[in-house]
Amino acid sequence: MADDPKHAPTQKPARAAPESLRTLQLDDDARVRSEFQSALKDARRPAVVVMSGNEVGTRKRLAGNATLGRDPTNELVLSDAGISWRHARIEDRGDAWALVDLGSTNGSLVNGERCTDRRLAHGDKIVLGRTVLRFELMDPLEEAYDEHLQRLLNVDDLSGLFVRRRFDAELSLYVDAARASGRPVALLVMDMDGIKAINDRHGHLFGAYTIGETGRLIGRVVGERGIGSRFGGDEFCAALPNVDTDGATEIAEEIRAAVNAHGYSYEGVALRPGISIGVASFPADAPDAAALFQRADEALYRAKQGGKNRVCR
C-alpha cells in the first residue's frame, strides 16, 4: 500500500523567495571591483576638523595653503582669544603637508609637542591656544560620507536652511569680519503669521508643510547674498554680509512678497500664511552679534504689533 503511487504524498512546489529578499547577482563584478580600487587609489584630500573650541564641529577642506587664526580673512577663522591673529599655516609641499607656526604668542603643538615647522600625518592633533584640531586625509568615499554627515549636523531637514547652532557661529564670524573691514552686516529675524490657525484648522502636517515651503522660499530669495536658518517652530533668520539696513529692508520685502505670492497647497487645500520681519544691521544698530539679534527681534515685535505681515526696522 505504501508503494502504491496513487497513495504517495503530494509534494508542493517550493515557493520562490519574495523579490525583496533576493540577492541581486552582479554580472559585472570585475568592473565593480575595479571602480572601488580606483577610488581608493585617488589622491587623499586633506581637511582640518575642529574637535574642541568655539568652532567645534567645523571642517575645512584644504585645496592649498591655509592660514589659521583670528583674522577674519584667514582660510580657517578661529575665535579663541588664545590664538594669534595669524597664528599658523598649513602648507602644501607637494609630497606632504606641514604645519608652520607664524610667530604666534602661545605657540603651536602637534601631538603634544611644541613646533615651528612639522610635517603632518593623518590623525595628527594640532593645538592652537585652547582649540584642538585634527588633521585628516580622506579618500573620495570618505569625503562623500563626511559631506552627508555634515549636512545631517548643520542643515534643518524641514526647511533646508542652517540649524541655529551653525547659524549663530556663522553670524559671529560675519560680525568679526565686518568689524575688521569696516563694512556692515545685516540680520533679518522672521516669524510666520497664521501658522497656529493652519494647525488648528487642518492639522500639524499642513503647518509643517507651510513652514518647510517658507524656509525654501527664504533660501531662494537670500541666495548667494547670505545665509538663512530655521530657529525652530515657524521662526527664521537670515544674515547678510556687506548689506546695510536699507539693503536688508529691500531683501526682507522680497521675502515677504515671495511668501504672499506663493501658491501654498497641501492635499488640495490652499493655504495663505504671511510673514513678519524685523531688520537691523551692524554697526549702525548694534555693537556686536548678541545686540544685533536683540535689535532685529525688537523690530520683529513692532511688525507683529503693527498688524503683522510687514517689515519693520
Side-chain angles (χ1 to χ4, degrees):
M1 194 69 174
D3 295 332
D4 187 345
K6 293 181 179 180
H7 295 86
T10 302
Q11 294 186 358
K12 296 180 180 180
R15 293 182 179 178
E19 194 66 33
S20 61
L21 298 181
R22 297 179 187 176
T23 300
L24 177 64
Q25 176 67 44
L26 295 178
D27 298 327
D28 54 353
D29 57 330
R31 179 182 63 81
V32 172
R33 286 197 301 271
S34 175
E35 289 179 356
F36 179 72
Q37 291 166 356
S38 176
L40 293 180
K41 289 178 182 177
D42 282 353
R44 304 189 80 192
R45 303 166 190 176
V48 178
V49 184
V50 182
M51 300 182 65
S52 71
N54 298 340
E55 288 71 37
V56 63
T58 298
R59 180 181 295 272
K60 173 67 177 178
R61 294 187 181 88
L62 306 178
N65 295 345
T67 304
L68 290 62
R70 288 176 19 241
D71 185 345
T73 65
N74 288 333
E75 284 75 21
L76 178 56
V77 181
L78 302 168
S79 59
D80 181 346
I83 294 177
S84 296
W85 198 242
R86 295 175 67 82
H87 193 109
R89 181 173 61 249
I90 295 180
E91 291 186 356
D92 179 2
R93 294 184 175 171
D95 63 340
W97 294 81
L99 180 77
V100 179
D101 186 85
L102 300 177
S104 65
T105 300
N106 294 313
S108 302
L109 286 77
V110 176
N111 297 334
E113 297 181 3
R114 186 176 293 271
C115 61
T116 57
D117 190 317
R118 170 78 174 260
R119 285 170 65 100
L120 295 171
H122 176 69
D124 279 350
K125 303 298 188 298
I126 302 168
V127 179
L128 310 179
R130 296 182 179 86
T131 299
V132 180
L133 308 100
R134 183 176 67 237
F135 179 76
E136 293 184 349
L137 292 167
M138 299 185 296
D139 63 40
L141 295 177
E142 292 169 325
E143 190 171 11
Y145 172 76
D146 177 68
E147 288 179 358
H148 175 67
L149 184 60
Q150 290 300 308
R151 180 171 180 83
L152 291 177
L153 291 172
N154 295 313
V155 177
D156 171 60
D157 282 343
L158 186 62
S159 66
L161 302 175
F162 280 145
V163 297
R164 180 168 185 170
R165 174 187 55 79
R166 175 64 186 274
F167 180 85
D168 285 345
E170 294 293 330
L171 177 62
S172 293
L173 292 178
Y174 281 164
V175 171
D176 289 344
R179 182 179 288 110
S181 66
R183 299 182 66 85
V185 57
L187 178 67
L188 310 181
V189 175
M190 298 166 269
D191 189 73
M192 295 191 66
D193 302 316
I195 288 295
K196 184 179 185 303
I198 290 172
N199 285 337
D200 291 346
R201 183 171 183 179
H202 302 291
H204 288 278
L205 287 179
F206 287 78
Y209 157 80
T210 308
I211 292 168
E213 282 289 287
T214 301
R216 287 183 283 276
L217 277 176
I218 291 170
R220 287 196 292 271
V221 173
V222 171
E224 298 298 319
R225 295 180 288 187
I227 58 171
S229 169
R230 177 175 170 238
F231 261 39
D234 58 353
E235 299 174 325
F236 300 91
C237 286
L240 306 165
N242 304 317
V243 177
D244 61 14
T245 307
D246 289 340
T249 301
E250 293 178 3
I251 294 172
E253 288 290 2
E254 289 180 38
I255 292 172
R256 190 179 71 85
V259 170
N260 289 337
H262 187 64
Y264 292 88
S265 178
Y266 187 69
E267 293 187 354
V269 177
L271 305 168
R272 292 288 179 266
I275 191 165
S276 298
I277 307 176
V279 180
S281 71
F282 167 91
D285 303 315
D288 54 41
L292 179 60
F293 185 88
Q294 183 176 347
R295 297 288 90 78
D297 197 49
E298 291 169 354
L300 171 63
Y301 179 78
R302 290 193 292 274
K304 287 287 193 181
Q305 293 298 107
K308 301 182 180 180
N309 196 32
R310 63 189 61 204
V311 175
C312 284
R313 47 192 289 184

